[in-house]
């Protein structure tokens, strides 16, 4: 009996210890560019799907008001990883920040400038002298607008830029601005809300930079490679799930996203974001892989336009060694 009792006691001790083991997760905080909105449902679905928990990670999310804000929140120590855009990265590198880009979230440039057809604005050159709305001055909408303007010989002094917040189509529809810098998902929602006939100027036609990337401090990268590898594997799994099961993601967004009440709209937004997650490079090499040539062209363009002063070698900034391989888990 004593042997049986000892066995039962051992089994009981294992059961009691199990919850403590399950709770010993490594916390990773992501500084986002946005509030918890439906296009990032793969992150918001963590309580339902547990992609990060499966890799031993407790995920936290700090909302922001643009890619620049996300990067600043990370640099200020409020997060470990920034969900930011290349423009914000270039500007920070130009100021001497030591940063590493570790994952290509959305390889496609989804930024645009939208004007009502009645405005007569059909091209970037037509924006001269106009009032243009942006999400914030720390957002990709602002930086991509500057790129668009510079490509046609215009600068910030040639237009009036007005920060209007995330719902930046309302001022356009109300006539408070002549055009607004936005994204594909913002345009989709605006059309559903009665935007009317509009002309859309796509920034990717000038410069097809990734819309968003994961960026960390160089020191954090060097000190936390195993943890970051697990994080990227979990993120890849979450992105692959949203691509494979957009309908399920749209249902989850109803309760997880602040703008997710309309399941049908969620699905359309998620489909757009899924499309921006892929490129010829990711088709060959797997989700998250960088097109280094595009990022270098972006850095060179920013310098030639006078947006940054330094020559940036993106080979020294981009690190792909932690990205999961295409054909399986790392």
């Amino acid at each position: 009996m004593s042997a049986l009792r000892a066995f039962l006691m051992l089994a009981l001790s294992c059961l009691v210890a199990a919850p403590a083991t399950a709770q010993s997760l490594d916390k990773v905080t992501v500084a986002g560019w946005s509030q918890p909105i439906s296009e990032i449902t793969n992150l918001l679905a963590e309580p339902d799907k547990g992609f990060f928990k499966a890799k031993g990670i407790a995920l936290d999310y700090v909302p922001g008001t643009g890619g620049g804000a996300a990067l600043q929140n990370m640099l200020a120590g409020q997060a470990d990883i920034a969900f930011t855009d290349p423009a914000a990265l270039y500007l920070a590198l130009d100021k001497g920040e030591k940063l590493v880009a570790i994952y290509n979230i959305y390889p496609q440039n989804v930024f645009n400038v939208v004007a009502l057809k009645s405005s007569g604005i059909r091209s970037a050159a037509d924006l001269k002298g106009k009032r243009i709305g942006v999400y914030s001055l720390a957002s990709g909408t602002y930086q991509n607008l500057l790129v668009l303007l510079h490509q046609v010989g215009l600068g910030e002094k040639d237009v009036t830029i007005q920060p209007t917040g995330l719902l930046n189509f309302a001022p356009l529809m109300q006539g408070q601005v002549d055009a607004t810098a936005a994204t594909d998902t913002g345009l989709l929602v605006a059309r559903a809300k009665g935007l009317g006939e509009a002309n859309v100027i796509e920034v990717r036609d000038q410069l097809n930079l990734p819309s968003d990337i994961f960026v960390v401090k160089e020191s954090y990268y060097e000190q936390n490679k195993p943890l970051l590898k697990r994080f990227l594997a979990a993120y890849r799994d979450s992105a692959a799930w949203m691509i494979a099961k957009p309908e399920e993601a749209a249902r989850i967004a109803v309760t997880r996203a602040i703008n997710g009440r309309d399941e049908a709209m969620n699905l359309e937004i998620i489909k757009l974001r899924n499309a921006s997650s892929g490129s010829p490079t990711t088709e060959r090499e797997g989700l998250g892989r960088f097109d280094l040539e595009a990022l270098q062209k972006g850095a060179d363009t920013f310098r030639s336009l006078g947006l940054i002063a330094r020559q940036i070698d993106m080979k020294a900034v981009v690190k792909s060694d932690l990205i999961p391989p295409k054909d399986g888990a790392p």
Side-chain angles (χ1 to χ4, degrees):
M1 290 293 291
S2 60
L4 177 60
R5 183 177 294 125
F7 175 81
L8 290 174
M9 290 297 291
L10 177 61
L12 180 60
S13 68
C14 289
L15 288 173
V16 171
T21 302
Q23 291 173 7
S24 60
L25 304 175
D26 295 311
K27 185 179 178 181
V28 175
T29 302
V30 174
W33 68 267
S34 72
Q35 296 295 316
I37 56 178
S38 54
E39 62 186 79
I40 59 167
T41 296
N42 59 309
L43 286 177
L44 305 182
E46 176 61 11
D48 309 280
K49 305 300 294 184
F51 294 111
F52 293 87
K53 186 177 181 181
K55 301 295 185 184
I57 291 172
L59 179 68
D60 195 16
Y61 183 81
V62 176
T65 55
L71 196 55
Q72 287 304 313
N73 284 338
M74 185 270 288
L75 288 170
Q78 296 178 33
D80 307 302
I81 302 173
F83 191 132
T84 188
D85 57 83
L89 174 61
Y90 297 150
L91 293 171
L93 291 170
D94 191 50
K95 293 176 181 177
E97 298 289 353
K98 302 296 184 182
L99 301 169
V100 175
I102 60 172
Y103 189 96
N104 195 0
I105 304 171
Y106 306 133
Q108 304 299 326
N109 193 326
V110 301
F111 291 96
N112 53 44
V113 174
V114 181
L116 298 177
K117 285 199 172 181
S118 58
S119 71
I121 298 172
R122 293 180 295 275
S123 68
D126 297 327
L127 293 171
K128 185 174 183 179
K130 304 298 184 182
R131 300 164 299 166
I132 309 169
V134 296
Y135 178 24
S136 79
L137 296 180
S139 73
T141 56
Y142 172 69
Q143 300 298 344
N144 278 273
L145 171 61
L146 293 185
V147 169
L148 193 66
L149 292 172
H150 278 80
Q151 295 282 14
V152 294
L154 299 177
E156 192 167 355
K157 67 182 186 304
D158 297 307
V159 299
T160 300
I161 297 178
Q162 297 180 204
T164 55
L166 184 58
L167 302 176
N168 52 343
F169 275 95
L172 177 66
M173 295 164 72
Q174 295 163 8
Q176 297 170 16
V177 295
D178 303 302
T180 194
T183 64
D184 54 354
T185 53
L187 177 58
L188 175 73
V189 173
R191 282 174 165 159
K193 292 184 176 180
L195 174 64
E197 293 190 351
N199 292 325
V200 182
I201 307 167
E202 300 285 359
V203 179
R204 66 171 171 260
D205 293 338
Q206 300 290 337
L207 187 62
N208 194 22
L209 276 177
S211 296
D212 288 287
I213 54 182
F214 281 135
V215 173
V216 296
K217 294 178 183 176
E218 188 179 84
S219 57
Y220 187 84
Y221 165 80
E222 294 294 348
Q223 296 164 15
N224 296 277
K225 288 185 180 182
L227 177 57
L228 284 172
K229 193 171 185 179
R230 283 189 281 132
F231 172 85
L232 294 184
Y235 185 85
R236 187 277 312 272
D237 290 349
S238 75
W241 160 75
M242 194 161 79
I243 291 169
K245 297 185 177 180
E247 292 83 4
E248 181 185 3
R251 288 193 298 273
I252 289 176
V254 171
T255 56
R256 297 297 179 189
I258 61 171
N259 65 336
R261 293 183 180 180
D262 186 334
E263 186 175 325
M265 179 58 68
N266 292 343
L267 181 58
E268 294 306 309
I269 289 172
I270 285 167
K271 285 180 176 177
L272 278 176
R273 202 43 69 244
N274 286 344
S276 68
S277 299
S279 70
T281 300
T282 64
E283 284 292 319
R284 292 191 311 270
E285 303 175 26
L287 290 173
R289 293 286 170 172
F290 290 97
D291 182 343
L292 190 57
E293 184 178 342
L295 281 173
Q296 187 62 59
K297 181 180 178 182
D300 294 343
T301 299
F302 267 58
R303 186 165 183 258
S304 67
L305 296 176
L307 297 175
I308 60 175
R310 295 189 181 194
Q311 178 71 45
I312 298 173
D313 179 9
M314 292 306 294
K315 288 180 182 178
V317 176
V318 172
K319 304 293 184 184
S320 299
D321 56 319
L322 306 181
I323 300 174
K326 182 180 180 181
D327 55 356

